[in-house]
Amino acid sequence: MPLKVCYLYPEFTGVWGDAGNVLAIRRRCSWRGLALEVYESNIGDEPGDLAGFDLIYLGGTEDRYRQVIYSDLFRRAEAIRLAVEDGTVLLAVCSGFEMLGTTFEYDAGSYAGVGVFDADTVCCGDRIVGSVVLRSELLSSPDTIVGFENHAGRTRLGVNCLPLGRVISGRGENQQAEGAVCGTAYGTHLCGPLLPRNPHLADLLIRKALKKRFGDVKLAELTDDREWQAHRQALRRAGLQPAELDVPAG
Amino acid sequence: MRILGCIFAILLGKILLRILRLFDRAATTFPGRVALRFNPGLIGQLVEGQSVAVVTGTNGKTTTVAQICSILQRSGKTALSNASGANMSAGIATALIEGADFLGRLDSDAVVLEVDEAALNNLVSDLHPEIVVITNFFADQLDRYGQLDDVVSSVRDALKPVSAHVSVCLNADDPRAVELNESLCFAHPPTFFGVAGGHADSEATERRRQVQSCIRCAKLLRYRWHSYAHLGDYFCPACDFSRPQLDVEVDIVDFGAGESCVKVSLTRECKAGDSAEFSSVLSLPGIYNVYNAAAAVAAASTMGSPVSAMQEAVDGFRGVFGRWESFILSDGTVKMALVKNAAGFNQVLQSIADLPGSKALMLVLNDREADGRDISWIWDIQLEDSPLITRGQSQFAVGGERAADLALRLKYAGLPSSRLQAVSTANECVSLAEQLVGEVDELYVLPNYTAMWQLRREMLKRGIESDR
């Protein structure tokens, strides 16, 4: 039985490198001989049984398409919440993350979110743009996550959410919380190729996705040479020492 | 006082140009930047009274400017341009300083400038363009621009104060470009250029496209066909927004691997005695180069150039530096094609896949200010589906400051590590190129902006000759 992945609105989320995250899940399963099916779901699809999926991916879209995506997401809100309650892993990035929170703002309007994350997003001032490094309690050896952010929204977490990590480089380097984890739902503002450069996070999501129907599965080790090289390079460019942070040599 | 300030800034700029050239530096922006420090109004003073044409948009600016200049030259006119591709105020000032005499007079019939799409708004009051050409709008350098709509808005704001007198040439096949005609009231109706449908359709090669929405009613646009990316024949299913009637239409009669036979039709009235149609052979690969030729012809027709000059220029055009530029090495030829965003990269990949022979590709990526700091876009390139990856013969190499990210990208595209070599500096890239070029029929080097300049400098330093 294949791992079933639902890729939401791919035609709307192709400018921030989101395809890279789905590709990372796809490859890391196929390299291990794990069967995988990716279903691309677009505007107007029946809400259906999203709980039938093991992993749902929602990326970032241009503001121009927020309204249309939001209307469609809201129509499916119940199905998305039920899927996450049922243990389906959800990864939401940028505007996708913001719209799945409790409330969000954009374009001078305030909206009720889908409510997967206990998080509010306010929209103010300049866009936050730049490379970031996080440390995450979800990960070890290394516990770093490298990425790039480009967004206007500022997200504040409620008590029912943990941050994905805390910023140690970029955005003021002040231990600020980044992203959110609520049960099996993961949200972040780190856009584009988040998972390829953070293979430990990709594998964490795959393990959690497998857990729903297959229980605890130990994933086969992969040769993550290129992955850790890119991860190490991102750390070095942020002025950090990969060796001190326990990053594999690659 | 004003004249003195102008002369002083020009003198300073010219001295800096001389000194930097002595040291073999390209000097495409620095003299202008310094001169503007002393005289911020310099650009406006230099182009005063000149007929200025501006080319802006995401891709194809440099090539379109070169083609417009070529058409003008073939109709007996002289043109001044920022041919180096430095398209912000400092680069434009440098080109103007170089072209001016010491009193600030430009000895040319026309000034044709490419202008960065986000910089146009600050430059338009200085340049007072008579003609503005919009090539296309694609996602590019989003770390600098924010979102594509912000770029389009910025161009809209730039055009607003000049809309009463400017003549615009718009890519009719790009709904984002045509949007400008919706919100602005141009005194002269725009000249719309585009390609004729029903051929060279990339439907099969681009698996996924970004949807586009109607500027009037926000419904999603439908397409009768696509030429590439989001360009094509679109219409709104809910209102009457659709691709406009073409004033300059390029019909691709035969789409070859390295060249295209085209028939160009001009439906606006031409100069007396001219045929409003001509055929040409365009010696550059890719449908995006057909669009560049269409843009240039549209601009030239607005300037009143004769059709014979357009035909000669399109026939004789061999491209500009870094865009399918050939370098002659002892063991073979290297072709260099600039790639700086996903839309352009997909086009170049497809062109290479269509060309015959065994191939090696060297991808070189930097992330400096001029390139854009964010390289997420490499994950939007549709590499997975390219026969260059899937058919399993082409060798790949990666270089530049973000070589590690390219290597990772290729790994996830499905390229086995046995077909990949990684280097970093320009020096190492060129040494590897010299080795690879003897092993395959064709070596293609695909750098982004600053990487292209580094590689060209390194090759010219080694005495490797270019065909440009």
mmCIF file of all heavy atoms in Angstrom, chain B residues 37 49 96 113 153 161 213 227 273 346 380 392 433 445:
data_model
loop_
_atom_site.group_PDB
_atom_site.id
_atom_site.type_symbol
_atom_site.label_atom_id
_atom_site.label_comp_id
_atom_site.label_asym_id
_atom_site.label_seq_id
_atom_site.Cartn_x
_atom_site.Cartn_y
_atom_site.Cartn_z
ATOM 1 N N ARG B 37 26.493 60.811 -8.045
ATOM 2 C CA ARG B 37 26.699 61.354 -6.701
ATOM 3 C C ARG B 37 26.899 62.857 -6.746
ATOM 4 O O ARG B 37 26.341 63.608 -5.967
ATOM 5 C CB ARG B 37 27.966 60.724 -6.103
ATOM 6 C CG ARG B 37 27.703 59.567 -5.204
ATOM 7 C CD ARG B 37 27.139 60.067 -3.867
ATOM 8 N NE ARG B 37 26.833 58.949 -3.001
ATOM 9 C CZ ARG B 37 27.748 58.264 -2.325
ATOM 10 N NH1 ARG B 37 29.024 58.615 -2.396
ATOM 11 N NH2 ARG B 37 27.400 57.261 -1.578
ATOM 12 N N GLY B 49 15.898 66.422 -24.901
ATOM 13 C CA GLY B 49 15.784 66.665 -26.338
ATOM 14 C C GLY B 49 16.021 65.432 -27.193
ATOM 15 O O GLY B 49 15.900 65.486 -28.414
ATOM 16 N N LEU B 96 25.530 56.590 -20.957
ATOM 17 C CA LEU B 96 25.309 57.934 -21.509
ATOM 18 C C LEU B 96 26.594 58.770 -21.447
ATOM 19 O O LEU B 96 26.914 59.505 -22.383
ATOM 20 C CB LEU B 96 24.184 58.644 -20.744
ATOM 21 C CG LEU B 96 22.779 58.042 -20.907
ATOM 22 C CD1 LEU B 96 21.787 58.715 -19.958
ATOM 23 C CD2 LEU B 96 22.284 58.149 -22.344
ATOM 24 N N LEU B 113 17.297 52.225 -24.363
ATOM 25 C CA LEU B 113 17.822 51.778 -23.078
ATOM 26 C C LEU B 113 17.008 50.620 -22.522
ATOM 27 O O LEU B 113 15.777 50.644 -22.552
ATOM 28 C CB LEU B 113 17.772 52.934 -22.071
ATOM 29 C CG LEU B 113 18.626 54.152 -22.404
ATOM 30 C CD1 LEU B 113 18.265 55.296 -21.468
ATOM 31 C CD2 LEU B 113 20.111 53.830 -22.303
ATOM 32 N N SER B 153 2.816 46.506 -10.753
ATOM 33 C CA SER B 153 2.318 47.780 -10.206
ATOM 34 C C SER B 153 3.356 48.875 -10.335
ATOM 35 O O SER B 153 3.020 50.030 -10.629
ATOM 36 C CB SER B 153 2.001 47.652 -8.716
ATOM 37 O OG SER B 153 1.049 46.702 -8.509
ATOM 38 N N PRO B 161 2.489 58.783 -15.372
ATOM 39 C CA PRO B 161 2.706 60.194 -15.717
ATOM 40 C C PRO B 161 3.062 60.430 -17.184
ATOM 41 O O PRO B 161 2.968 61.570 -17.641
ATOM 42 C CB PRO B 161 3.876 60.607 -14.796
ATOM 43 C CG PRO B 161 4.525 59.350 -14.384
ATOM 44 C CD PRO B 161 3.464 58.300 -14.379
ATOM 45 N N SER B 213 -5.052 34.994 -13.580
ATOM 46 C CA SER B 213 -6.435 35.397 -13.375
ATOM 47 C C SER B 213 -6.735 36.675 -14.129
ATOM 48 O O SER B 213 -5.837 37.451 -14.463
ATOM 49 C CB SER B 213 -6.729 35.569 -11.888
ATOM 50 O OG SER B 213 -5.940 36.597 -11.361
ATOM 51 N N SER B 227 2.339 29.253 -25.722
ATOM 52 C CA SER B 227 3.611 29.202 -26.449
ATOM 53 C C SER B 227 4.702 28.751 -25.478
ATOM 54 O O SER B 227 5.417 27.804 -25.744
ATOM 55 C CB SER B 227 3.942 30.546 -27.076
ATOM 56 O OG SER B 227 3.819 31.575 -26.119
ATOM 57 N N GLY B 273 4.848 52.158 -49.833
ATOM 58 C CA GLY B 273 5.681 51.322 -50.694
ATOM 59 C C GLY B 273 6.214 50.096 -50.010
ATOM 60 O O GLY B 273 6.646 49.142 -50.651
ATOM 61 N N ASN B 346 13.746 26.990 -18.170
ATOM 62 C CA ASN B 346 12.975 25.958 -18.875
ATOM 63 C C ASN B 346 13.127 26.084 -20.381
ATOM 64 O O ASN B 346 13.250 25.087 -21.097
ATOM 65 C CB ASN B 346 11.482 26.071 -18.517
ATOM 66 C CG ASN B 346 11.180 25.494 -17.144
ATOM 67 O OD1 ASN B 346 11.896 24.627 -16.661
ATOM 68 N ND2 ASN B 346 10.110 25.982 -16.533
ATOM 69 N N ASP B 380 11.730 25.463 -9.069
ATOM 70 C CA ASP B 380 10.590 25.633 -9.976
ATOM 71 C C ASP B 380 10.952 25.293 -11.419
ATOM 72 O O ASP B 380 10.085 25.277 -12.282
ATOM 73 C CB ASP B 380 10.056 27.075 -9.908
ATOM 74 C CG ASP B 380 9.361 27.358 -8.585
ATOM 75 O OD1 ASP B 380 8.658 26.455 -8.087
ATOM 76 O OD2 ASP B 380 9.516 28.466 -8.044
ATOM 77 N N GLY B 392 19.540 9.994 -20.024
ATOM 78 C CA GLY B 392 20.688 9.330 -19.435
ATOM 79 C C GLY B 392 22.019 9.363 -20.156
ATOM 80 O O GLY B 392 22.858 8.503 -19.952
ATOM 81 N N ALA B 433 35.593 23.099 -18.035
ATOM 82 C CA ALA B 433 35.015 23.261 -19.374
ATOM 83 C C ALA B 433 36.027 22.845 -20.443
ATOM 84 O O ALA B 433 35.680 22.160 -21.405
ATOM 85 C CB ALA B 433 34.576 24.708 -19.592
ATOM 86 N N VAL B 445 27.217 26.062 -21.255
ATOM 87 C CA VAL B 445 27.437 26.643 -19.932
ATOM 88 C C VAL B 445 26.259 27.569 -19.639
ATOM 89 O O VAL B 445 25.965 28.476 -20.426
ATOM 90 C CB VAL B 445 28.763 27.416 -19.880
ATOM 91 C CG1 VAL B 445 28.934 28.082 -18.526
ATOM 92 C CG2 VAL B 445 29.921 26.468 -20.151
#
